[in-house]
Amino acid sequence: FFLSLKLEKRTKGKLQKQVCQVVLDHFEKQYTAELGDAWSSVRDVLTSPWYWQHALLLNRFSQSPGLESSLAEQGYHPAFPAALPYLPAAFRCFSRTAPGRFPAHKHQPGSLKHYYLLNAASLLPVLALEVKDGERVLDLCAAPGGKSVAILQCACPGHLHCNEYDHLRSRWLEQTIESFIPDPLRSLIMFSKLDGRQIGDLWPEFYDKVLVDAPCSNDRSWLFSADPQQAVLRLMQRKELSSLQCQLLRSAVKALRPGGSLVYSTCTLSKAENSDVISLILDSCSSVVPVDISGMARHVSQEFTFLSGTQQHELLVLPEKGRAWGPMYVAKLKKVSSS
C-alpha cells in the first residue's frame, strides 16, 4: 500500500511537467515526415509521462531474497525471452505493462544496490553486443553507467574501458559502478575522461567489442525542456550532432580489432542521427560490414514495438501505450579488416 502511494505521488509529480512547445513543434514537423502515421501514437506517449514505464535490471552481485517474488506479485515479468540467441543466465530484467516507477535505491558507499531502474529498450544495445567472458570491451560514451553495469551482468570481460568526456557525468559514471560492482571486479575496469574521438588513435585495434551509445537529441528529456531559450539553442545545435556521432564511430572502428563487433545506439527517433550516420560509416569505411540483428528484434517483439522498414542491421524502438519503451535506435557492425 505504501509503495503504491509512493508511486502515485511520483507519477503525479511527473504529470506536472510541461511540454516545451518549441521542441514539440520541431518534432511534429520532422517526425511526421520521417515516421508517417506512427508519429501520432509515439507523440502521445512521449508527451504523457503518465504512460512511461520503468524496468528493473537485477544486480547479480547483490543478493536480495524475496525481490523476484515481490516483483511477480506486483505484476512484473521477465522482459526478455529465454529464446533470445544471446541471453546470459545471470542477466535478469523485469518489467510490467502498468506505468509507474519502482522506488530507487540511494547510493551508499560500501553497499551494493540490488537493481538498476531503466528504460528496458536501453538494454537492447548491450544484448546486441554479445559480450563474452575475457573480452576487451570499450564503452565509449559510458555515463551515467547503466549500459556498463548491464555489460557486467552479461559477462566478466578481461578488460572494460568506461570512457566519459564530461567531468560531472564521469563522476556519476564512477559512482554508478561503485554502487553495483564489487571491489574485486573493479580491478578489470578502467575509467577515462577522454574525447572519444581520440580513443581510436590511442588504442588502435585493441578491443573485441565497442559500444557507442552516442550523445544525441534525447527526445524524451528535450520535450520537457524547462527553459525555452535552452530548447531553441539545443535545436540549433542538433544539426551538428550527426557530425560528432560520425567522428565517434570512426574512432570506435579504429579501436576495434579485425573480427570484433561494434554497436551504435541513440535515444532519438531522428533519422539524421540514426540510419543516416550508419549509412555514412558503411559507405566511407571499407573495413566494416553490417550485422543482421533482425532475429533479436523478432524474439523481443512481444515486449517492444519497432519501426517497420528498417535495414536488417538496425532497429528503432517506438514507444506506445503499454509498451512505452524507447525511443532507442540500435545498429551493429563488424570489422573485417584493418582500418
Side-chain angles (χ1 to χ4, degrees):
F1 173 74
F2 290 111
L3 175 61
S4 61
L5 265 182
K6 195 181 280 189
L7 288 173
E8 193 178 333
K9 281 182 183 175
R10 289 186 182 209
T11 310
K12 282 184 176 172
K14 281 204 161 192
L15 282 173
Q16 291 166 8
K17 284 183 174 183
Q18 294 296 308
V19 172
C20 180
Q21 196 61 44
V22 175
V23 175
L24 182 58
D25 290 347
H26 183 91
F27 283 2
E28 194 77 44
K29 185 177 178 183
Q30 179 180 352
Y31 293 148
T32 299
E34 291 182 9
L35 302 176
D37 294 341
W39 167 240
S40 60
S41 58
V42 170
R43 178 191 59 217
D44 289 348
V45 172
L46 289 182
T47 55
S48 307
W50 175 256
Y51 295 131
W52 295 6
Q53 296 161 246
H54 293 84
L56 285 84
L57 176 65
L58 302 197
N59 186 8
R60 67 176 172 134
F61 306 111
S62 175
Q63 301 307 311
S64 180
L67 177 58
E68 288 190 40
S69 56
S70 172
L71 289 172
E73 287 168 12
Q74 294 173 59
Y76 283 85
H77 62 271
F80 297 95
L84 261 178
Y86 176 83
L87 189 71
F91 187 90
R92 291 172 300 149
C93 178
F94 290 82
S95 66
R96 64 177 182 180
T97 53
R101 186 183 178 115
F102 207 74
H105 276 177
K106 287 187 178 176
H107 174 69
Q108 294 180 319
S111 176
L112 295 182
K113 294 183 181 181
H114 299 314
Y115 54 84
Y116 191 97
L117 288 173
L118 40 63
N119 184 320
S122 68
L123 295 172
L124 292 174
V126 174
L127 293 176
L129 198 59
E130 300 189 33
V131 175
K132 307 280 196 305
D133 287 348
E135 289 184 324
R136 293 171 174 171
V137 182
L138 168 63
D139 190 349
L140 192 69
C141 313
K147 291 181 179 65
S148 292
V149 167
I151 286 169
L152 290 160
Q153 303 304 315
C154 289
C156 182
H159 174 77
L160 174 60
H161 181 174
C162 300
N163 180 69
E164 176 55 50
Y165 182 56
D166 182 270
H167 181 74
L168 288 175
R169 285 172 59 82
S170 179
R171 177 68 199 115
W172 187 7
L173 164 66
E174 291 190 37
Q175 191 176 81
T176 300
I177 295 296
E178 186 183 327
S179 292
F180 285 90
I181 309 304
D183 281 334
L185 258 187
R186 283 186 226 159
S187 63
L188 305 175
I189 304 168
M190 179 180 116
F191 295 100
S192 64
K193 301 175 188 175
L194 299 165
D195 183 329
R197 294 171 289 188
Q198 302 171 348
I199 285 182
D201 291 325
L202 294 171
W203 285 277
E205 301 193 345
F206 183 76
Y207 297 98
D208 300 294
K209 303 282 169 67
V210 179
L211 175 63
V212 184
D213 187 45
C216 67
S217 311
N218 186 323
D219 293 353
R220 281 186 185 239
S221 66
W222 282 27
L223 273 168
F224 293 92
S225 300
D227 181 355
Q229 287 182 317
Q230 182 194 44
V232 170
L233 183 63
R234 278 176 166 173
L235 291 171
M236 287 171 60
Q237 293 172 335
R238 194 179 199 204
K239 297 169 186 171
E240 300 165 18
L241 279 170
S242 57
S243 173
L244 170 62
Q245 290 155 350
C246 282
Q247 291 173 58
L248 289 169
L249 267 173
R250 287 198 175 95
S251 175
V253 169
K254 281 185 183 177
L256 195 62
R257 68 162 178 81
S261 301
L262 178 156
V263 168
Y264 173 76
S265 61
T266 73
C267 52
T268 181
L269 298 161
S270 176
K271 183 173 176 287
E273 298 175 52
N274 293 340
S275 54
D276 287 357
V277 168
I278 292 298
S279 294
L280 190 61
I281 292 299
L282 286 170
D283 289 343
S284 60
C285 295
S286 59
S287 61
V288 291
V289 295
V291 176
D292 186 350
I293 55 172
S294 60
M296 182 178 82
R298 279 195 303 276
H299 279 293
V300 296
S301 59
Q302 291 298 309
E303 189 77 34
F304 302 98
T305 301
F306 298 103
L307 178 68
S308 60
T310 56
Q311 300 292 309
Q312 288 186 323
H313 60 272
E314 60 180 355
L315 55 86
L316 178 61
V317 180
L318 301 178
E320 68 171 28
K321 293 174 192 174
R323 301 197 289 187
W325 314 116
M328 180 60 56
Y329 175 79
V330 184
K332 186 170 184 179
L333 309 175
K334 182 177 181 178
K335 189 166 183 178
V336 292
S337 61
S338 292
S339 302

